[in-house]
């Protein structure tokens, strides 16, 4: 019996060594993917990279948002991962764990269920006059938009004088922003949209800002359609990002009511209608 027990010791040691060997590459892949992602998206505040959760791809958490990359960080995936063997929506489960309020809001409509995905905010945006100020410790609950330039905004929506108005800080690759865009259109709201260009969308934001018909360009951007490129002044986009960071806006969308009240994240139509009238 003693011989048998002693004979098992190398096997146990080998198994532990093998397990440790298997663990090291995962950690190494995480670190390598983080380094590559930081180089490609230096303005995105990445919280965590996990290349062991789903085979073949790396899950990226940026604050309360989620997206995916390949291990080399060449390809970025904005969408949902669905396990067809277990019939589980893995992305929804992770979003629920890290960002329950936004997920619950997005799940309120079928459109949001189809398009919910991560939106990110810049980590160190630069304005035309230099670095942005330090981030607020918590998102501002009320702000003044008076300092923001007109060349960073796109006006769209209802044109009637008494239509409710709202300013939205958004990213054109953010699924929540896309769902909010459709909801506000259906509500007949007058929208001032201020893009925050992350996830490699700066070129898209510039194309929208510089378009002859900016409202139409917004529609094309949210539909992933090409937009004709024109040159124009785009420092307003830098101002948008600097403002968002200075006020602690670390995700998209962010809505600002006419009285300066701030709402973080997507909400169902019924909530938005009440909130735009001054409700909590």
């Amino acid at each position: 019996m003693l011989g048998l027990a002693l004979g098992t010791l190398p096997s146990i040691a080998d198994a532990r060594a093998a397990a440790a060997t298997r663990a090291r590459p995962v950690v190494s892949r995480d670190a390598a993917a983080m380094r590559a992602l930081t180089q490609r998206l230096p303005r995105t505040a990445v919280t965590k990279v996990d290349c062991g959760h789903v085979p073949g791809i790396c899950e990226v958490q940026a604050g309360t948002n989620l997206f995916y990359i390949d291990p080399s960080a060449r390809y970025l995936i904005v969408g949902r991962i669905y396990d067809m063997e277990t019939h589980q929506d893995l992305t929804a489960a992770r979003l629920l764990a890290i960002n329950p309020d936004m997920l619950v809001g997005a799940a309120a409509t079928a459109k949001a269920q189809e398009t919910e995905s991560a939106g990110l905010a810049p980590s160190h945006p630069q304005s035309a006059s230099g670095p942005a100020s330090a981030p607020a410790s918590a998102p501002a609950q009320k702000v003044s938009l008076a300092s923001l330039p007109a060349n960073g905004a796109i006006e769209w929506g209802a044109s009637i004088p008494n239509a409710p108005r709202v300013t939205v800080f958004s990213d054109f690759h953010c699924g929540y922003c896309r769902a909010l865009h459709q909801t506000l259109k259906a509500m007949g709201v007058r929208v001032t949209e201020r893009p925050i260009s992350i996830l490699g969308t700066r070129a898209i934001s510039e194309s929208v800002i510089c378009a002859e018909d900016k409202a139409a360009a917004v529609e094309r951007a949210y539909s992933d359609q090409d937009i004709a490129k024109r040159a124009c002044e785009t420092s307003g986009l830098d101002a948008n990002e600097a403002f968002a960071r200075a006020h602690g806006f670390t995700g998209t969308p962010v809505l600002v009511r006419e009285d300066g009240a701030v709402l973080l994240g997507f909400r169902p139509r019924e909530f938005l209608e009440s909130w735009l009238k001054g409700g909590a």
Side-chain angles (χ1 to χ4, degrees), residues 10-277:
S11 298
I12 295 173
D14 290 345
R16 288 176 177 171
T21 300
R22 286 194 298 271
R24 280 196 296 271
V26 173
V27 175
S28 177
R29 287 199 302 272
D30 292 352
M34 174 71 88
R35 287 193 298 271
L37 183 61
T38 300
Q39 291 177 351
R40 292 187 183 276
L41 297 177
R43 301 172 76 180
T44 297
V46 176
T47 308
K48 181 181 178 182
V49 175
D50 183 356
C51 296
H53 188 60
V54 179
I57 63 174
C58 301
E59 177 188 282
V60 179
Q61 184 178 339
T64 55
N65 301 293
L66 199 68
F67 64 103
Y68 304 92
I69 58 171
D70 73 297
S72 71
R74 176 178 176 180
Y75 300 102
L76 185 147
I77 306 163
V78 178
R80 299 169 69 169
I81 303 296
Y82 189 82
D83 188 329
M84 293 192 291
E85 287 190 3
T86 63
H87 304 290
Q88 290 181 314
D89 187 333
L90 303 182
T91 303
R94 291 289 294 126
L95 282 171
L96 183 59
I98 66 176
N99 194 16
D101 290 339
M102 282 189 179
L103 182 63
V104 170
T109 64
K111 178 65 178 177
Q113 287 179 324
E114 294 171 357
T115 61
E116 62 193 15
S117 61
L120 305 176
S123 57
H124 299 289
Q126 300 286 314
S127 68
S129 58
S133 57
S137 57
Q141 296 182 353
K142 196 164 187 177
V143 298
S144 170
L145 304 174
S147 64
L148 286 171
N151 65 353
I154 306 106
E155 301 284 342
W156 62 268
S159 57
I160 56 177
N162 60 344
R165 298 182 65 92
V166 68
T167 296
V168 180
F169 290 86
S170 59
D171 182 278
F172 292 120
H173 279 179
C174 162
Y176 297 128
C177 302
R178 198 172 283 130
L180 177 66
H181 177 75
Q182 297 298 329
T183 301
L184 293 176
K185 275 204 309 181
M187 290 169 55
V189 176
R190 183 67 181 176
V191 178
T192 300
E193 187 140 5
R194 289 190 171 273
I196 300 176
S197 304
I198 14 146
L199 287 177
T201 55
R202 175 66 185 219
I204 299 174
S205 298
E206 290 183 352
S207 294
V208 172
I209 285 289
C210 295
E212 291 186 11
D213 187 339
K214 294 180 176 58
V218 167
E219 295 294 331
R220 295 184 66 84
Y222 277 127
S223 300
D224 293 325
Q225 300 179 44
D226 291 336
I227 304 167
K229 298 185 184 302
R230 299 173 66 248
C232 75
E233 174 58 55
T234 59
S235 61
L237 296 175
D238 298 315
N240 292 346
E241 294 180 358
F243 183 92
R245 177 163 176 79
H247 291 85
F249 300 161
T250 58
T252 53
V254 175
L255 296 83
V256 181
R257 206 166 53 195
E258 286 189 274
D259 63 356
V262 172
L263 178 65
L264 304 177
F266 176 85
R267 295 295 189 276
R269 175 170 179 162
E270 294 76 11
F271 183 98
L272 292 173
E273 288 175 339
S274 174
W275 181 76
L276 286 173
K277 292 177 182 177

